[in-house]
Amino acid sequence: MQLHFQLDTPTTEVEGLEREHSRRTLLIVDDEEGPRQALRIVFKDDYSLLLAADGGRAVELANQHRVDAAVLDIRMCGMSGIELLERLKSIDPAIEVIMLTAYETIETARQALRLGACDYLNKPFDIASVRSSVRHAMERRSIADEMRDNATKLSQLKEDISKLHTQQELLRARGEIYASIMHDINNPMTSILNLIDLINYQIADATRLEGQELVKVKEDLSNITKQVNNCVEISRRYLKYHRDRSKDNPSVALNQVLADLHQLLRFHPSARSQRISLSPLARDTLVKINSTELIHILLNLSINACQCSKTPHSVRIGGKVMEQPVNTSGWRDTQEDRYLNTTGFANHAPLVALSVADDGPGISPELLSKVFDPFFSTKPADVGTGLGLSIVQRLVTEAKGAIHLHTRPDEGTEFTVYLPALKTATDPRATH
């Protein structure tokens, strides 16, 4: 059956929306009353209807109500159906649009489909065809809505998972911080215990102290005080980890840190049997980093070098001032080299290059990629926690520095830490 007659029934512009909001909404737009009313009769029991005699009114209705599908006449006075199609899609790209025309041309059909129309029917239209076309349009809209809802749920799920992951990362980071506190405090605490043992040995049989013995005990007590203060600084640094970092620009004279490192290594049990050489800079330099953080970078690297082998070996500690940026063009990880924080490195002169090298067994290629991972260690549980190098990486990254690790099996390993510097300071000491 085809509908191609004129109806005199008055148009109801909005029909069924108040009666049942759960039904899909169909917009019918035609400047001829007959086709508009014919479509109303066909679909009044199936959908909530919006009827418009021109494109302008159709746009108003689409802005005021949700439209699931629309049937548009292509040729109308004023705004054409093709123009209206574009306007409706700009309001809601998910609206499914069926085009009607009594003057079909291949070009108009192509244009309508190119703009997103889902079907194209001729006037006079067949009821079965128009019903089928609208039903398919509503099904497409239902699928689109379901996909959108699923995408929203998926996005929410991803956000929830991300929040959960963030919470887990915070807990893990907090655990690492506490473990780092214990790891870093362990070094000065070991020195403190050794100094106390030394003092006890010196005064064990003494009834009074004087002369050189008194001087030595005073020196050891001074070192104990320094190590206790070091522990306090470490604790403060980690306990304020999640707070805003200081706005000040910290700096420290490098040779003073090297002197402190020399004192720490003197009493550390891991360094006793090793041949350690520590060379201060001939021309001291201020480094852009907190003094406690710098000494812990160097101490962790030095202890790591001392513990690389049970066999006595050499450990060399030193540095140099660089008046030019580092040439990083050849920085590529290999089986013998690793580079860290290459993108966050503030590679602007002046810089300092601090090195800690040993002639131990070196690092095998299969372990080289893991050495900076938290809790990774090849040492026995009572010797290392696997946190030393991960602490070094974090502190160097925060200082906008970079690390180069070079190693060769059976020849040894060298860590070079590049850090931004400020200016040259006069150092009154040439040697320790």
Side-chain angles (χ1 to χ4, degrees):
M1 176 182 179
Q2 291 182 331
L3 296 181
H4 51 85
F5 47 83
Q6 195 79 15
L7 295 176
D8 296 326
T9 309
T11 299
T12 303
E13 195 174 51
V14 179
E15 185 173 316
L17 289 177
E18 295 79 6
R19 183 173 68 251
E20 189 177 348
H21 290 285
S22 62
R23 295 202 298 181
R24 295 282 181 179
T25 299
L26 176 65
L27 171 63
I28 300 169
V29 187
D30 199 312
D31 58 358
E32 296 183 37
E33 183 73 13
R36 195 165 64 247
Q37 286 297 323
L39 290 170
R40 183 184 69 82
I41 292 172
V42 171
F43 293 112
K44 64 183 179 64
D45 295 328
D46 301 318
Y47 308 109
S48 297
L49 301 179
L50 298 172
L51 296 104
D54 58 72
R57 182 55 184 156
V59 170
E60 292 178 13
L61 290 172
N63 280 316
Q64 295 168 2
H65 306 279
R66 171 193 162 97
V67 175
D68 296 299
V71 179
L72 313 180
D73 185 30
I74 282 187
R75 290 201 174 186
M76 295 185 294
C77 295
M79 187 185 301
S80 71
I82 294 296
E83 293 173 307
L84 178 56
L85 168 61
E86 287 189 90
R87 295 287 296 275
L88 291 178
K89 287 290 186 177
S90 67
I91 294 171
D92 182 358
I95 295 176
E96 297 294 340
V97 178
I98 301 164
M99 306 302 297
L100 293 178
T101 183
Y103 309 95
E104 179 182 9
T105 67
I106 293 177
E107 182 53 36
T108 54
R110 285 178 178 173
Q111 190 176 7
L113 294 174
R114 188 168 59 247
L115 292 173
C118 66
D119 207 348
Y120 191 98
L121 300 177
N122 292 320
K123 289 181 179 180
F125 48 79
D126 177 81
I127 291 180
S129 297
V130 76
R131 275 188 176 277
S132 176
S133 183
V134 172
R135 183 176 69 253
H136 289 151
M138 292 297 184
E139 288 173 353
R140 286 166 58 97
R141 181 58 190 259
S142 295
I143 292 172
D145 288 346
E146 186 176 353
M147 291 177 62
R148 183 199 61 213
D149 292 342
N150 288 338
T152 301
K153 291 177 183 177
L154 181 60
S155 177
Q156 183 62 48
L157 180 60
K158 287 181 178 178
E159 185 177 344
D160 292 341
I161 292 174
S162 177
K163 288 180 180 178
L164 179 61
H165 180 70
T166 300
Q167 291 172 353
Q168 291 174 336
E169 282 295 303
L170 287 174
L171 290 174
R172 184 187 63 78
R174 191 172 299 164
E176 283 188 21
I177 289 169
Y178 294 148
S180 297
I181 293 174
M182 298 306 298
H183 178 278
D184 277 3
I185 286 180
N186 181 65
N187 288 325
M189 287 298 292
T190 301
S191 296
I192 291 170
L193 291 174
N194 279 277
L195 287 167
I196 291 174
D197 287 342
L198 185 59
I199 292 173
N200 286 331
Y201 175 78
Q202 291 169 341
I203 66 174
D205 300 321
T207 56
R208 57 184 296 176
L209 293 174
E210 57 185 6
Q212 196 62 33
E213 290 181 345
L214 180 60
V215 171
K216 189 67 174 67
V217 169
K218 285 183 177 180
E219 180 182 334
D220 291 340
L221 288 172
S222 175
N223 283 329
I224 289 175
T225 301
K226 183 181 294 184
Q227 298 309 316
V228 170
N229 290 333
N230 203 17
C231 290
V232 172
E233 281 195 55
I234 294 167
S235 301
R236 287 175 177 170
R237 169 162 56 84
Y238 281 108
L239 292 175
K240 69 178 182 180
Y241 180 78
H242 289 296
R243 301 176 190 169
D244 291 334
R245 292 182 62 83
S246 172
K247 301 292 184 182
D248 299 329
N249 295 317
S251 63
V252 61
L254 179 56
N255 277 345
Q256 180 59 58
V257 173
L258 292 175
D260 292 341
L261 177 65
H262 176 69
Q263 291 297 323
L264 287 171
L265 292 176
R266 279 180 57 199
F267 302 101
H268 200 285
S270 297
R272 286 177 181 171
S273 60
Q274 314 308 336
R275 300 182 297 274
I276 298 177
S277 62
L278 194 154
S279 303
L281 275 68
R283 186 181 62 183
D284 201 2
T285 296
L286 295 175
V287 186
K288 289 181 171 181
I289 190 172
N290 177 280
S291 60
T292 304
E293 295 178 354
L294 180 55
I295 200 168
H296 279 85
I297 290 171
L298 293 173
L299 184 60
N300 281 329
L301 291 177
S302 300
I303 299 304
N304 188 73
C306 290
Q307 295 176 345
C308 72
S309 173
K310 294 181 180 180
T311 304
H313 56 279
S314 297
V315 176
R316 304 178 308 279
I317 305 164
K320 63 179 180 179
V321 179
M322 304 182 66
E323 301 296 346
Q324 298 293 330
V326 182
N327 182 6
T328 60
S329 60
W331 280 17
R332 300 288 185 276
D333 288 350
T334 67
Q335 290 189 338
E336 296 182 348
D337 295 274
R338 277 202 67 187
Y339 298 90
L340 285 84
N341 198 41
T342 55
T343 57
F345 178 28
N347 190 14
H348 309 293
L351 298 162
V352 293
L354 303 171
S355 64
V356 177
D358 64 72
D359 58 0
I363 304 172
S364 63
E366 59 269 19
L367 297 181
L368 186 59
S369 63
K370 304 176 183 178
V371 295
F372 288 96
D373 294 348
F375 303 108
F376 175 80
S377 178
T378 58
K379 305 169 189 174
D382 60 341
V383 177
T385 63
L387 281 167
L389 292 182
S390 69
I391 292 171
V392 169
Q393 179 183 5
R394 185 172 69 217
L395 295 178
V396 172
T397 299
E398 290 175 355
K400 300 185 184 303
I403 302 173
H404 175 204
L405 165 55
H406 176 71
T407 186
R408 284 188 176 182
D410 301 322
E411 293 187 19
T413 300
E414 181 174 11
F415 289 83
T416 304
V417 175
Y418 298 95
L419 292 170
L422 284 176
K423 60 182 179 179
T424 301
T426 301
D427 180 25
R429 296 166 302 179
T431 61
H432 287 300

